[in-house]
Amino acid sequence: MITSPSNPRIREARHLSQKRRRVAAGRFLVEGVRLINDALSSGVRPHEVFYAPEVVAGHTSVVDLLARLEAAQIACWACTPNVFRTLSETVTPQGIVAVVPLPVLPLPSHPTLTLLLDQVREPGNAGALLRVAEAAGVAQALFAPGTVDPFNDKVVRAGMGVHFRLPLRIMARWDELHSLVPEAGAVFVADVRAALPYDAVDWRRPATLIIGGEAVGAGPEARALATPIAIPMQGAVESLNAATAGAVILFEAARQRRQECNDGALGD
């Protein structure tokens, strides 16, 4: 039983709340049954796990998960509730946290649809955009300079396990875009002032969609290389938040691609 927040293992795990520490260690924290199970189901082996017996007592899902982890010979360290709270970022913790390797899934050779987040600083929006991207069939997601870290704990929680399934990359510079998306095809940026409606775009071709930040939108680098598109709106609403706008556009792309598949099947 770990009883002190000064325990070296606890201190090292707690440091992973900082981006530079995550990058240096190549690890990050995932909290809760759902995320740890998602990691395991994706073939990710945790380095170690911390749990609070007093918190997990009576919770069958946590007890079953601990049994699964211990059967896999993954180190599971019991902690007092006070010690565990130094690792937890949730309001109502489930009492279990895992240290896992940062996933580096291979990028597709010929991505048909890429999502690029630029200046998106609200973690909840970033995580929601990743969930939408996976659901809409996006091949990869890129985080431009000035965007929240995809492994921020709030982004990870909002992503609901997508980090273990969708290839992600952080761009240090904008000139990396051509190597990350060698066949970018058409590049579009969501812009409430644009004249071109999002559903007038042919999304059946390879494309990259840039979603800008909540306050000022995409930056000048993004605007310099992308065609602006807008979501026509009625009433007095001026704009949608980043996650909602991304969902509307990406599911239009998914609809067009699904329709093309259906048309091709009928033609056969």
Side-chain angles (χ1 to χ4, degrees), residues 109-199:
S109 302
H110 305 285
T112 55
L113 184 58
T114 296
L115 173 65
L116 197 163
L117 280 63
D118 180 36
Q119 308 294 318
V120 177
R121 297 191 175 97
E122 208 290 311
N125 272 340
L129 278 165
L130 292 178
R131 289 176 66 191
V132 167
E134 182 184 30
V138 166
Q140 60 184 6
L142 308 178
F143 282 61
T147 301
V148 66
D149 178 37
F151 298 102
N152 171 291
D153 67 281
K154 293 180 181 178
V155 179
V156 173
R157 289 203 303 274
M160 297 289 284
V162 69
H163 291 71
F164 304 113
R165 300 184 295 267
L166 180 68
L168 308 173
R169 290 295 186 276
I170 301 171
M171 294 167 49
R173 305 178 311 278
W174 272 94
D175 59 13
E176 294 179 355
L177 180 61
H178 298 296
S179 61
L180 294 171
V181 193
E183 300 171 9
V187 181
F188 301 97
V189 59
D191 184 342
V192 70
R193 298 175 297 276
L196 178 65
Y198 75 101
D199 53 359

